[in-house]
Amino acid sequence: MKIFNPVEIIRKKRDGEVLSEDEISYFISAYLEGKVADYQVSALLMAIYFNGLSENETLAFVKSYIDSGEKVGLSFINKPKVDKHSTGGVGDKTSLILAPLVACFDVVVPMMSGRGLGHTGGTLDKLESIPGFRTNLSVNEFKRILSNIGVCMIGQNRELAAADGKIYALRDVTATIDNIGLIAASIVSKKIVEGAEGIVYDVKSGSGAMLKSHENANKLAFKLMQITKDFGRKAAALITDMNEPLGRSIGNWLEVEECIDIMNPSAKKPPQSEDLIDITLHLAGAMLLLASKCRYIEEGVEMAGNKLSDGACFKKFLEIVEVQGGDTSYIVSPVKYKRAKLTEEVIANQSGYVSALDALKFGQAAVILGCGRMRVEDQIDYSAGILLNKKVGDKVNRGDVICSVRSGAKEKIQPALEMIKSGIEISRSPISKKSKILEIID
Amino acid sequence: MKIFNPVEIIRKKRDGEVLSEDEISYFISAYLEGKVADYQVSALLMAIYFNGLSENETLAFVKSYIDSGEKVGLSFINKPKVDKHSTGGVGDKTSLILAPLVACFDVVVPMMSGRGLGHTGGTLDKLESIPGFRTNLSVNEFKRILSNIGVCMIGQNRELAAADGKIYALRDVTATIDNIGLIAASIVSKKIVEGAEGIVYDVKSGSGAMLKSHENANKLAFKLMQITKDFGRKAAALITDMNEPLGRSIGNWLEVEECIDIMNPSAKKPPQSEDLIDITLHLAGAMLLLASKCRYIEEGVEMAGNKLSDGACFKKFLEIVEVQGGDTSYIVSPVKYKRAKLTEEVIANQSGYVSALDALKFGQAAVILGCGRMRVEDQIDYSAGILLNKKVGDKVNRGDVICSVRSGAKEKIQPALEMIKSGIEISRSPISKKSKILEIID
C-alpha cells in the first residue's frame, strides 16, 4: 500500500481539497494499525465537518470501513435479504414488529441493531428486556439462525466494520457526529457487511431526531440511497416525523409490551399506537418492494397488514424469541413481567387539544427514569418508562391523565416529571392529526 | 473551578459561538490534568482553525498558557527588560547580535529562543554550535546571569507556559499551526512568562516565512501588539521580507561566524550582510524605544550602530559566551573552527542580475545538508551550510559563483544543489535592491 503523510492528508481536507481513495484508505488502515493517532483522526473529522465529503470521498470511507473487518456471507441462502435502518428516535420500536413481519414473506431479515444513544432508545436494549434474550451472537450463529428461521436480531459485531466502530466512538466525544457524509458512511458500511441486498432507511426528522429539519433529513436520505446503490444494493427511504414520541410507550419492556399488543391478534390494539403501526407497515411495504414481493409499496403495506392481523407476525416473533434464548412465556403473558414499583401521572391543567409532546424532552425524561444510560457503566431499569394516554391532536379535559411515568427509583420521578411537563403543550383550538410519514423515496 | 463538558465546548466553537474565559481556562487545565484528551484538543484546534478566535478568546488562551506554568520573576532587577521575537526565517541570525547590542545600553534582555523548525533555523542550534555553549539553564541560573550581565540566551523551559508546549506539539501533527489567534497566543504567552516588559516582534513575510503574504503578516503583527498591550506590556513590530535568505550565510556555525564578522571591529564586514545589519539595527532601535532609551526608532538605530561599530557589542557577546560556558577562543579566532569537509559551488549559467534566491528552497537545502533535523533524533552538522556570494539585485557574469554549499556528507551535496538551483533566478534586466524592512508598527 502507498504511504502518505497523515498531516498532509489533514491539511488537504482542511484547505478544501479532495482526498483520493488511496489517501482515505491509507489514513483509516494506518489508524487501525496505530500509525495514525486518535488526535489526527479527530482533526481530520473536524475538517470534514467543515468542508464535507464528496460522493467519491464518502464511497472511499464506506469501502475502508467495509475492508476493516469481516463480512457476513449470506450468498448461501437463496432468498432475498433486506433490512431496515432507522436514524433513531423516541419510542421507535418498529424493528421489533418489522423483522418478524417481513420474514413472514420468505424474505431474509439480517438485522443488526444498536443500543440506546443519548435520548434515543436502542433495539438491542429493548430485546434484552425480554428475560433470557441473547443479542451477542457470533457471526456463525447469526448465519445459522438466518438460514433456519429467516430472521435474526443481533448487536453490531466488533469484527464487522471495525474502523467504523472506532471512529464512531471518537466522533461521539469530539463533536463531529453531525456530518451527513460521515453519518451515511457509518450507516451504509454496517448494512453492506451484514449482507443485506436491499435496505430501507427510516430517516427521522424533528425535535427528537438527530436531524431536526426535513431538509437535512432529505439530504441524508438521498445520500444513503445513492451510496447504497453505488454498492449495487437496492434502497428506499422514508422520512418520518419525530417531533412526538412514536406509539404509546417509551422504555424498554413497555415498548416490547406495546409491540406484543400490536402483534398478538387476541390483544387489544391501543389507539396511541396508530402512528407506529402506520410507519411499520410502510417500512414493511418498502422492504417487500426491494425483495420483489410486491409491485409497489402500498401493495406491500396491505400484504403486511394482513400478516400482522392474522397472527403470522406474532408467531414469527415468538420463534425469534425462542431461538435467541428468550423466555416466550413473557411474550404470551406480558402481565407476568415484574412492573416498576412506582407510578406517577401527569394531569392536564387545562382543557383543549394536545399540540405538542416534545420527543426530545420525553426521551430525556426516559433516560432520567432509567431507560437509558448516562454513562457506559449504568444499569438499565427495563421496566421503567413512560406511557402516553394522549397523543398530539387528542382532545383533553382538565384533570385528564396525559401520560404516566414508571420507575424503580423514587428520586428519579420528580426530575423526569418536570422534564416531561416542559415538553407538553395544550392548545385551545383543535389540532389536526397528521401522518407521521413525511416523504417516501424509492 | 467550574466544570464544563469538553464536547459541548468543542461544539460551541464548531458552531461559531464565542467561548468564555472560564470555558477556555477549564479546557486547557483539564487537558494538562488528563481529563480532556489529545483528540478533543485537536478537534477544538481544527474548529478554531475554521472559526478563529476573538480578541477575548485569544486573551483567555494567553492567560491559560501563562497560568499553566512558572513565571520568571524579574522585578528584582530595576532596569527595563525588553526582548524580540521573530516568526522564523532562513539565515535569520539577528538575535545573536541584537541581544548583546541592546544589553550595551543597560537594558536587560531575557531571551528565550527555539530550535530549528522545518526549513527555518533556530537561535538555540546556532548558539550550541559554539563549543561548550549551554542553553539549557535553569530559571535560577537565567535570573542570576540576567542580574549579572544584563543578558542571557536560553531555550524555552518546560516549566514555563507548559500548556503551550503541549498544544504546540499537537498543532504540529494535526495541521492546525496556521491560525493567527493560536500563533499569537503561543508567542505572547512565552514572552510574558519570561518577564519582558517590552517586546519587539519581527514578523517575516515571503516564501521562506510561515506567513507568505504581507497582509497576513500585518494581521499577525497587529494581533501580537494588541495582546501584548492588553497584558500591560509595550510592543512594536517590524514586518520584514523573507523571500531571500537573510545575510550571507545559512547554517549554524556559518551564521555565528557572519555575526562575529559584523560585531568584531577588526573583521571585514561582508557586503552580503547589509540586509541583516539593517534589520538588526532597526530591531535594536525599536527595543531601545520600548526601553525608553531613545525618543524614536531612528535615534535608537543610530545609537545601536555606534555600539556595533565601536566593539562594545562584540565585547558583550564575548561576555555572554563566557558566562554560558562557551569557548571564547572560537569567537576571537573563528578560523580555529573545524570546517565542513566538502564544498561545492553553484555557478551562474548566464549573465544578468540575480532576481530570486528563494528562501524556502535555500532553507530546505540547508536541512538536507545537515543544518536542521528531519526527525527529532537527527544530529545536526554544525559546520554545514550555504554561503551566498551574490544577493538579489547583484550583477552576475556567466561563470561567477552565486553560492557555495558545505557539508560533511558527500551524498547530501547533490540533492541540496538541485534544491538550491531550483530557487535561483537570473534576469537580463537590472533588479533594484529593496529594503527588507517592509513596515514598522509602533
Side-chain angles (χ1 to χ4, degrees), chain B residues 386-412:
Chain B
I386 305 167
L387 282 178
L388 301 173
N389 285 40
K390 302 284 178 185
K391 298 269 293 181
V392 170
D394 284 349
K395 196 172 185 319
V396 283
N397 291 313
R398 191 183 161 131
D400 279 356
V401 176
I402 296 176
C403 64
S404 60
V405 304
R406 299 182 177 192
S407 181
K410 202 176 169 206
E411 73 282 5
K412 293 176 174 174

Side-chain angles (χ1 to χ4, degrees), chain A residues 6-8 10-11 13-15 38-40 42-44 46-51 170-178, chain B residues 6-8 10-11 13-15 38-40 42-44 46-51 170-178:
Chain A
V7 185
E8 179 58 15
I10 302 170
R11 186 207 58 76
K13 180 39 76 183
R14 183 196 78 183
D15 292 348
D38 281 332
Y39 49 78
Q40 292 177 312
S42 65
L44 181 70
M46 188 57 87
I48 289 172
Y49 178 86
F50 280 94
N51 284 334
L170 197 57
R171 285 167 60 206
D172 196 31
V173 291
T174 55
T176 49
I177 291 282
D178 322 338
Chain B
V7 185
E8 179 58 15
I10 301 170
R11 186 208 58 75
K13 180 39 77 183
R14 184 196 76 183
D15 294 347
D38 281 332
Y39 49 78
Q40 293 177 313
S42 64
L44 181 70
M46 188 57 87
I48 290 171
Y49 178 87
F50 280 94
N51 285 334
L170 197 58
R171 285 166 61 204
D172 196 30
V173 291
T174 56
T176 50
I177 292 282
D178 322 339

Side-chain angles (χ1 to χ4, degrees), chain A residues 114-403:
Chain A
R115 299 201 175 274
L117 190 68
H119 67 279
T120 64
T123 299
L124 282 194
D125 295 328
K126 294 168 197 179
L127 289 171
E128 288 176 0
S129 74
I130 302 168
F133 199 100
R134 288 173 54 224
T135 58
N136 60 339
L137 307 182
S138 70
V139 169
N140 281 336
E141 283 179 290
F142 185 57
K143 286 162 79 168
R144 189 171 44 75
I145 294 174
L146 285 174
S147 152
N148 289 345
I149 69 164
V151 52
C152 187
M153 302 177 83
I154 67 169
Q156 207 204 332
N157 191 299
R158 278 191 196 176
E159 286 147 38
L160 304 169
D164 171 61
K166 216 175 154 187
I167 289 177
Y168 192 91
L170 197 57
R171 285 167 60 206
D172 196 31
V173 291
T174 55
T176 49
I177 291 282
D178 322 338
N179 171 272
I180 284 181
L182 292 172
I183 292 169
S186 172
I187 292 172
V188 176
S189 61
K190 279 181 280 199
K191 294 292 147 187
I192 302 280
V193 295
E194 76 175 23
E197 296 160 349
I199 303 142
V200 174
Y201 296 102
D202 180 7
V203 182
K204 308 277 185 197
S205 93
S207 80
M210 176 173 57
L211 302 171
K212 309 296 173 202
S213 74
H214 187 149
E215 188 195 343
N216 279 335
N218 188 282
K219 269 189 202 162
L220 177 59
F222 273 98
K223 191 111 181 172
L224 288 167
M225 289 186 54
Q226 180 192 65
I227 306 170
T228 308
K229 289 175 178 174
D230 283 336
F231 278 88
R233 317 289 165 115
K234 293 182 189 171
L238 269 66
I239 297 178
T240 61
D241 181 90
M242 187 37 73
N243 285 301
E244 174 189 32
L246 196 57
R248 177 191 58 183
S249 57
I250 307 158
N252 299 289
W253 173 256
L254 294 177
E255 295 191 38
V256 173
E257 227 179 329
E258 181 179 1
C259 292
I260 294 170
D261 285 346
I262 292 168
M263 291 186 283
N264 188 341
S266 57
K268 199 173 155 247
K269 302 224 170 336
Q272 302 92 319
S273 301
E274 263 174 32
D275 54 357
L276 170 65
I277 296 172
D278 187 43
I279 288 178
T280 306
L281 291 180
H282 278 83
L283 289 170
M287 287 171 78
L288 292 172
L289 180 70
L290 297 191
S292 306
K293 296 290 180 184
C294 59
R295 289 161 300 174
Y296 45 90
I297 290 180
E298 284 304 328
E299 189 183 26
V301 171
E302 206 187 317
M303 289 160 61
N306 293 335
K307 292 281 183 200
L308 186 59
S309 53
D310 74 5
C313 174
F314 188 53
K315 210 174 140 231
K316 200 69 179 174
F317 184 66
L318 283 166
E319 261 184 78
I320 297 173
V321 175
E322 174 90 39
V323 77
Q324 294 198 226
D327 184 341
T328 53
S329 71
Y330 289 95
I331 309 302
V332 179
S333 314
V335 289
K336 264 184 69 177
Y337 205 87
K338 197 165 181 268
R339 306 269 136 182
K341 274 198 316 247
L342 305 161
T343 296
E344 193 80 45
E345 294 177 332
V346 177
I347 306 293
N349 55 9
Q350 63 171 104
S351 297
Y353 298 84
V354 179
S355 54
L357 299 172
D358 185 334
L360 177 61
K361 298 286 168 71
F362 277 77
Q364 287 171 332
V367 173
I368 294 173
L369 290 168
C371 304
R373 296 172 191 82
M374 300 214 199
R375 293 150 183 246
V376 179
E377 64 271 21
D378 284 352
Q379 284 290 320
I380 286 183
D381 178 352
Y382 287 120
S383 60
I386 306 167
L387 282 178
L388 302 173
N389 285 41
K390 302 284 179 187
K391 298 269 292 181
V392 170
D394 284 348
K395 195 171 186 320
V396 283
N397 292 313
R398 191 183 161 131
D400 279 356
V401 175
I402 296 175
C403 64

